[in-house]
Amino acid sequence: MLKRFNATPEERFTLGLRTVGRRTRGRPRRRVVPLAAVSVLVAGAGLTGCGQQRDSHVFTVLNSSTDETYHRWDAEAMARCGKRLGVAIEQQSVPAAQVMTKALRMASSKSLPDIVQFDASEMPTFADAGGLIDLRTLGLSTRDIPRGIVEFGSYKGTYYGAARSVNTLALFYNKDILAKAGLKVPGTWDELRRTAEQLTHGKQYGLALSAGGAEDGVFQFTPFMWSNGGDERRLDGPRVVEALDFWKSLLKDGSLSKSTVSWTQADVNDQFMAGNAAMMINGPWQVETLNTKKSLHWGIARIPVPRAGDKSVGPLGGAVLTVPNTGDRTRERMAGRIVGCLSSEKEQLTYALNSWMVPANEKAAAVWRKRVPELDALAGQVAAARSRTAELGAGWTSVSLALQSAFQSALTGESSKAALTRAQQRATSGN
């Protein structure tokens, strides 16, 4: 251990990079590098400074837009902003799970791009290391952006990430199935349980959701945990236990498939489209696929709450545009202008209408609601949504891994209390 602490910055960086790589490849039992350690590793690699001469009129954006349509939408937006600002903007796209690893490698070689689009849950790692620029110092304003979305792109009160659009979860339901059964869309947990049970027969389950051992499952659990007053700082608290017990009750009723412990959100959508589930918990990224099946008449509503009158609190999802601390202030200022253009009201609306996501800007969101009234409930859910990293910052990762393990145990027989007690211990110790 003493030898490791005496390692060179390059050696410390390599150690950290390997560990981050393990996490992105989905090995939940591997300890993620603590936030403080990541700060040392990244800072030691030398985030600042330019490793090579760059074309003063060409700026790069690292993102995860590997899907053809998203890559094209981003390219078109960058072309518009580039023309407006008199520069060329190029995108480098890698799979979402590789953005952090790619950024760390580029930091090590001092070749960071001018802008990095991080998943908001990963942004605090770079921010804590001093690797990102406060966007307010580059002239970006948070006016007309809801507080929750500002916090979504902030770390320790500093605004590092501008969101173009955000997403959250909602209850999707098959209008024809509910109408045939003479049932209303449920609004509380009791109503959801009764409705799901009544809609379960033959090969059809009343509800589909993801409880798999990955971030998908944790993302889907947060609305139940938070709406019930549970908190990620105390995973073994009674309100969190009640939320997991509710999931277990749906499984006990037969309203959820036993396969829910391995389903991703894409799997859930497949089940819903196939008619194997009358309702599902999912997000707007599925809408484009849902609309390919013309015979499927679906609607959305806010996720049911424990008791009538409770607020339905879901998780904010999406990515944020950040400006790395490269040490080149002239390029950083232009990068800030590019972020400002890409996240402008007009560009947000265009992007949101393409992607079915909700604009981060309130004025753009108001126009969006009128243009896509069928998703109005989703916009309402976003208004009350929370960032997963708002309380714990980069410490959220340890909590997520602990919860993933707890779902697998509790939904296959162990008590929720025992599973979550162990999860709390894991989250605290990091083992």
Side-chain angles (χ1 to χ4, degrees):
M1 293 298 293
L2 289 175
K3 184 178 180 180
R4 177 58 60 193
F5 278 111
N6 289 330
T8 66
E10 290 77 14
E11 289 173 332
R12 292 200 302 272
F13 174 79
T14 301
L15 173 64
L17 184 57
R18 287 173 181 166
T19 310
V20 172
R22 289 189 186 109
R23 180 175 64 80
T24 57
R25 288 195 295 271
R27 298 184 183 179
R29 294 187 183 279
R30 175 63 60 180
R31 171 77 163 105
V32 177
V33 179
L35 177 58
V38 171
S39 298
V40 172
L41 296 168
V42 177
L47 278 171
T48 59
C50 298
Q52 57 186 359
Q53 190 68 31
R54 303 188 186 189
D55 189 324
S56 61
H57 295 288
V58 179
F59 289 76
T60 57
V61 179
L62 175 64
N63 62 24
S64 59
S65 299
T66 53
D67 180 86
E68 187 278 327
T69 53
Y70 280 86
H71 193 85
R72 173 165 44 83
W73 295 334
D74 278 338
E76 291 169 352
M78 291 175 194
R80 288 190 294 269
C81 285
K83 183 177 181 180
R84 196 171 305 155
L85 298 172
V87 297
I89 307 172
E90 300 175 348
Q91 63 176 326
Q92 301 175 10
S93 301
V94 298
Q98 297 177 21
V99 171
M100 176 63 78
T101 304
K102 177 77 170 178
L104 285 169
R105 286 175 178 155
M106 295 176 83
S108 180
S109 61
K110 298 184 179 180
S111 59
L112 275 168
D114 299 287
I115 296 166
V116 179
Q117 182 171 290
F118 283 115
D119 182 278
S121 65
E122 291 187 322
M123 177 272 293
T125 300
F126 252 63
D128 188 81
L132 298 177
I133 300 294
D134 180 349
L135 295 182
R136 289 191 176 97
T137 66
L138 299 178
L140 274 78
S141 170
T142 56
R143 186 180 59 190
D144 298 325
I145 303 176
R147 179 179 176 182
I149 298 178
V150 173
E151 293 176 348
F152 180 67
S154 300
Y155 179 61
K156 292 185 177 179
T158 301
Y159 185 56
Y160 293 110
R164 288 186 290 170
S165 66
V166 291
N167 61 66
T168 189
L169 296 167
L171 178 71
F172 288 70
Y173 58 92
N174 187 308
K175 292 181 177 181
D176 295 334
I177 291 177
L178 263 69
K180 184 177 180 180
L183 297 172
K184 295 181 179 180
V185 179
T188 65
W189 284 6
D190 285 343
E191 291 172 358
L192 177 60
R193 186 175 181 182
R194 287 196 303 270
T195 302
E197 190 171 17
Q198 292 178 65
L199 293 174
T200 299
H201 52 78
K203 295 183 179 180
Q204 176 183 291
Y205 291 94
L207 179 68
L209 56 80
S210 169
E215 185 68 18
D216 275 12
V218 179
F219 197 68
Q220 295 223 331
F221 182 65
T222 52
F224 296 89
M225 175 173 73
W226 288 337
S227 297
N228 197 42
D231 191 276
E232 53 268 41
R233 294 180 183 275
R234 188 185 171 193
L235 298 181
D236 56 350
R239 296 303 181 92
V240 183
V241 173
E242 287 174 3
L244 188 50
D245 274 341
F246 179 68
W247 271 18
K248 291 190 68 170
S249 71
L250 294 170
L251 197 62
K252 181 180 178 181
D253 293 342
S255 301
L256 287 179
S257 167
K258 291 182 180 179
S259 297
T260 194
V261 295
S262 61
W263 280 348
T264 64
Q265 292 177 123
D267 295 328
V268 169
N269 193 59
D270 289 342
Q271 295 297 317
F272 183 73
M273 291 188 68
N276 297 330
M279 300 179 289
M280 71 168 176
I281 305 295
N282 227 315
W285 51 87
Q286 307 292 8
V287 171
E288 186 174 12
T289 303
L290 289 173
N291 285 342
T292 63
K293 188 172 182 178
K294 302 303 181 183
S295 61
L296 177 62
H297 304 126
W298 56 270
I300 66 169
R302 296 190 187 190
I303 296 176
V305 293
R307 296 157 293 275
D310 286 348
K311 181 181 293 185
S312 183
V313 184
L316 274 175
V320 292
L321 294 168
T322 68
V323 176
N325 181 6
T326 63
D328 187 330
R329 300 306 174 223
T330 300
R331 292 189 71 90
E332 287 168 2
R333 284 192 292 272
M334 176 54 75
R337 294 180 65 190
I338 293 171
V339 170
C341 180
L342 291 173
S343 60
S344 65
E345 181 182 337
K346 183 178 180 180
E347 289 296 340
Q348 281 194 27
L349 182 59
T350 300
Y351 186 79
L353 290 172
N354 281 332
S355 64
W356 300 96
M357 304 300 177
V358 183
N361 180 284
E362 287 181 319
K363 292 181 179 178
V367 176
W368 180 88
R369 282 176 185 252
K370 295 177 180 178
R371 299 278 292 274
V372 283
E374 65 271 27
L375 297 183
D376 184 69
L378 190 68
Q381 188 86 55
V382 161
R386 285 177 48 188
S387 166
R388 284 163 288 169
T389 59
E391 288 195 22
L392 301 177
W396 167 261
T397 303
S398 294
V399 167
S400 176
L401 294 176
L403 278 174
Q404 292 167 27
S405 180
F407 297 157
Q408 300 295 296
S409 298
L411 297 178
T412 55
E414 188 175 23
S415 74
S416 298
K417 178 63 177 176
L420 288 168
T421 295
R422 188 167 58 256
Q424 180 59 39
Q425 293 169 348
R426 287 191 63 186
T428 301
S429 67
N431 295 321

mmCIF file of all heavy atoms in Angstrom, residues 187-191 304-311:
data_model
loop_
_atom_site.group_PDB
_atom_site.id
_atom_site.type_symbol
_atom_site.label_atom_id
_atom_site.label_comp_id
_atom_site.label_asym_id
_atom_site.label_seq_id
_atom_site.Cartn_x
_atom_site.Cartn_y
_atom_site.Cartn_z
ATOM 1 N N GLY A 187 -53.722 5.439 -9.433
ATOM 2 C CA GLY A 187 -52.997 6.616 -8.976
ATOM 3 C C GLY A 187 -52.267 6.402 -7.670
ATOM 4 O O GLY A 187 -51.390 7.189 -7.311
ATOM 5 N N THR A 188 -52.630 5.322 -6.933
ATOM 6 C CA THR A 188 -51.961 5.024 -5.666
ATOM 7 C C THR A 188 -51.425 3.592 -5.706
ATOM 8 O O THR A 188 -51.764 2.807 -6.596
ATOM 9 C CB THR A 188 -52.929 5.136 -4.481
ATOM 10 O OG1 THR A 188 -53.939 4.114 -4.610
ATOM 11 C CG2 THR A 188 -53.598 6.506 -4.437
ATOM 12 N N TRP A 189 -50.612 3.252 -4.725
ATOM 13 C CA TRP A 189 -50.051 1.902 -4.677
ATOM 14 C C TRP A 189 -51.148 0.850 -4.553
ATOM 15 O O TRP A 189 -51.087 -0.186 -5.223
ATOM 16 C CB TRP A 189 -49.078 1.781 -3.502
ATOM 17 C CG TRP A 189 -47.745 2.437 -3.742
ATOM 18 C CD1 TRP A 189 -47.377 3.197 -4.811
ATOM 19 C CD2 TRP A 189 -46.610 2.375 -2.880
ATOM 20 N NE1 TRP A 189 -46.072 3.624 -4.669
ATOM 21 C CE2 TRP A 189 -45.585 3.144 -3.507
ATOM 22 C CE3 TRP A 189 -46.357 1.780 -1.651
ATOM 23 C CZ2 TRP A 189 -44.314 3.290 -2.903
ATOM 24 C CZ3 TRP A 189 -45.100 1.926 -1.073
ATOM 25 C CH2 TRP A 189 -44.085 2.669 -1.688
ATOM 26 N N ASP A 190 -52.121 1.109 -3.693
ATOM 27 C CA ASP A 190 -53.219 0.138 -3.529
ATOM 28 C C ASP A 190 -53.957 -0.055 -4.851
ATOM 29 O O ASP A 190 -54.291 -1.185 -5.231
ATOM 30 C CB ASP A 190 -54.195 0.607 -2.450
ATOM 31 C CG ASP A 190 -53.647 0.414 -1.035
ATOM 32 O OD1 ASP A 190 -52.674 -0.354 -0.883
ATOM 33 O OD2 ASP A 190 -54.194 1.033 -0.102
ATOM 34 N N GLU A 191 -54.212 1.044 -5.536
ATOM 35 C CA GLU A 191 -54.912 0.958 -6.818
ATOM 36 C C GLU A 191 -54.054 0.232 -7.849
ATOM 37 O O GLU A 191 -54.568 -0.584 -8.634
ATOM 38 C CB GLU A 191 -55.264 2.367 -7.321
ATOM 39 C CG GLU A 191 -56.319 3.065 -6.485
ATOM 40 C CD GLU A 191 -56.502 4.527 -6.889
ATOM 41 O OE1 GLU A 191 -55.773 4.987 -7.793
ATOM 42 O OE2 GLU A 191 -57.365 5.203 -6.298
ATOM 43 N N PRO A 304 -47.809 5.872 -9.791
ATOM 44 C CA PRO A 304 -48.649 5.867 -8.583
ATOM 45 C C PRO A 304 -47.844 6.118 -7.306
ATOM 46 O O PRO A 304 -46.663 5.748 -7.206
ATOM 47 C CB PRO A 304 -49.251 4.458 -8.599
ATOM 48 C CG PRO A 304 -49.347 4.136 -10.062
ATOM 49 C CD PRO A 304 -48.078 4.702 -10.650
ATOM 50 N N VAL A 305 -48.507 6.741 -6.349
ATOM 51 C CA VAL A 305 -47.873 7.123 -5.083
ATOM 52 C C VAL A 305 -48.434 6.278 -3.939
ATOM 53 O O VAL A 305 -49.479 5.649 -4.077
ATOM 54 C CB VAL A 305 -48.107 8.620 -4.801
ATOM 55 C CG1 VAL A 305 -47.369 9.475 -5.819
ATOM 56 C CG2 VAL A 305 -49.602 8.951 -4.813
ATOM 57 N N PRO A 306 -47.737 6.232 -2.809
ATOM 58 C CA PRO A 306 -48.197 5.416 -1.680
ATOM 59 C C PRO A 306 -49.612 5.759 -1.222
ATOM 60 O O PRO A 306 -50.436 4.865 -0.982
ATOM 61 C CB PRO A 306 -47.171 5.721 -0.585
ATOM 62 C CG PRO A 306 -45.939 6.095 -1.332
ATOM 63 C CD PRO A 306 -46.425 6.851 -2.539
ATOM 64 N N ARG A 307 -49.910 7.058 -1.116
ATOM 65 C CA ARG A 307 -51.218 7.497 -0.630
ATOM 66 C C ARG A 307 -51.729 8.648 -1.487
ATOM 67 O O ARG A 307 -50.926 9.425 -2.019
ATOM 68 C CB ARG A 307 -51.122 7.959 0.837
ATOM 69 C CG ARG A 307 -50.727 6.856 1.814
ATOM 70 C CD ARG A 307 -50.110 7.405 3.066
ATOM 71 N NE ARG A 307 -48.809 8.024 2.783
ATOM 72 C CZ ARG A 307 -47.674 7.344 2.723
ATOM 73 N NH1 ARG A 307 -47.661 6.040 2.929
ATOM 74 N NH2 ARG A 307 -46.530 7.964 2.456
ATOM 75 N N ALA A 308 -53.007 8.749 -1.620
ATOM 76 C CA ALA A 308 -53.608 9.837 -2.389
ATOM 77 C C ALA A 308 -53.121 11.174 -1.832
ATOM 78 O O ALA A 308 -53.114 11.386 -0.616
ATOM 79 C CB ALA A 308 -55.122 9.755 -2.329
ATOM 80 N N GLY A 309 -52.711 12.062 -2.714
ATOM 81 C CA GLY A 309 -52.222 13.367 -2.285
ATOM 82 C C GLY A 309 -50.712 13.446 -2.177
ATOM 83 O O GLY A 309 -50.155 14.549 -2.101
ATOM 84 N N ASP A 310 -50.027 12.284 -2.168
ATOM 85 C CA ASP A 310 -48.569 12.298 -2.123
ATOM 86 C C ASP A 310 -48.017 12.793 -3.458
ATOM 87 O O ASP A 310 -48.672 12.672 -4.499
ATOM 88 C CB ASP A 310 -48.017 10.887 -1.855
ATOM 89 C CG ASP A 310 -48.215 10.436 -0.417
ATOM 90 O OD1 ASP A 310 -48.570 11.287 0.428
ATOM 91 O OD2 ASP A 310 -48.024 9.233 -0.145
ATOM 92 N N LYS A 311 -46.823 13.327 -3.421
ATOM 93 C CA LYS A 311 -46.171 13.785 -4.642
ATOM 94 C C LYS A 311 -45.415 12.627 -5.282
ATOM 95 O O LYS A 311 -44.704 11.879 -4.598
ATOM 96 C CB LYS A 311 -45.211 14.928 -4.326
ATOM 97 C CG LYS A 311 -44.494 15.498 -5.556
ATOM 98 C CD LYS A 311 -43.532 16.614 -5.184
ATOM 99 C CE LYS A 311 -44.270 17.837 -4.676
ATOM 100 N NZ LYS A 311 -43.320 18.967 -4.439
#
